[in-house]
Amino acid sequence: MSTPSASDPRQPDFWRRRTGLIMPLLLLVTGIVLTVGTVTMEVPDNVASPGPQLFPTLIAVGCFVFAVLLAVDVWRRPEPARVATRAAAAENPAPAAPAAADDPDAADDPAATAAPEPLRVRSNRPAVLGLVGTVVAFIVLLLPLGWILAGAGLFWGVARTLGSRRTVFDIFLAIAISSGIQLAFSAGLGLNLPPGILEGVF
């Protein structure tokens, strides 16, 4: 009777070790939504080339490409079977050096010479919730505040959630990025992003 291999989907922990496939799935859904929106977009005849369909097309293609690459990587290299404890995940200690080089007796001890079993890092739920909350706040505030302020809040919130603590620097950088995107859309594509409370200024 053959034993199912680690790559057999019938294994109990097969999908548990490949939870990273959620990200390629989200990228795939995003790409499909962008593709449908781009194809069904009503473009006026007097719009100059390249037009408003170029940017979402590039983003959709990028989503599909990265979804495939990430899915292949997660499928071929699943996460370790064991999950690290919270203390180990927080401290992330370096693996101990093999003792066989210093102690001749350690060479006869399989436990001393065996490589440590890799552990799966716990998910950072506060970071995930922070990112989701930042995106939801951006969607709600986009029209009232406008792209520059809402976009700056989006970039600042993502940087903060991912661990940056340079508050003033991140604020100026976020405003610079959102303003640059505003100029790129207005000057390069002839499109105006929602001005919000800054209408008449930009």
Side-chain angles (χ1 to χ4, degrees), residues 20-109:
L21 290 173
I22 295 176
M23 190 62 195
L25 179 61
L26 292 177
L27 287 174
L28 179 63
V29 172
T30 302
I32 293 175
V33 172
L34 286 174
T35 300
V36 173
T38 303
V39 172
T40 58
M41 183 185 299
E42 296 182 2
V43 182
D45 297 333
N46 59 348
V47 173
S49 181
Q53 292 177 311
L54 174 63
F55 186 74
T57 300
L58 296 178
I59 298 299
V61 171
C63 287
F64 289 132
V65 171
F66 283 109
V68 172
L69 294 178
L70 284 174
V72 171
D73 183 69
V74 173
W75 191 272
R76 295 180 59 185
R77 297 190 298 177
E79 301 171 0
R82 294 180 57 200
V83 181
T85 62
R86 295 191 181 276
E91 297 173 2
N92 192 20
D102 300 330
D103 187 2
D105 296 334
D108 300 330
D109 187 2

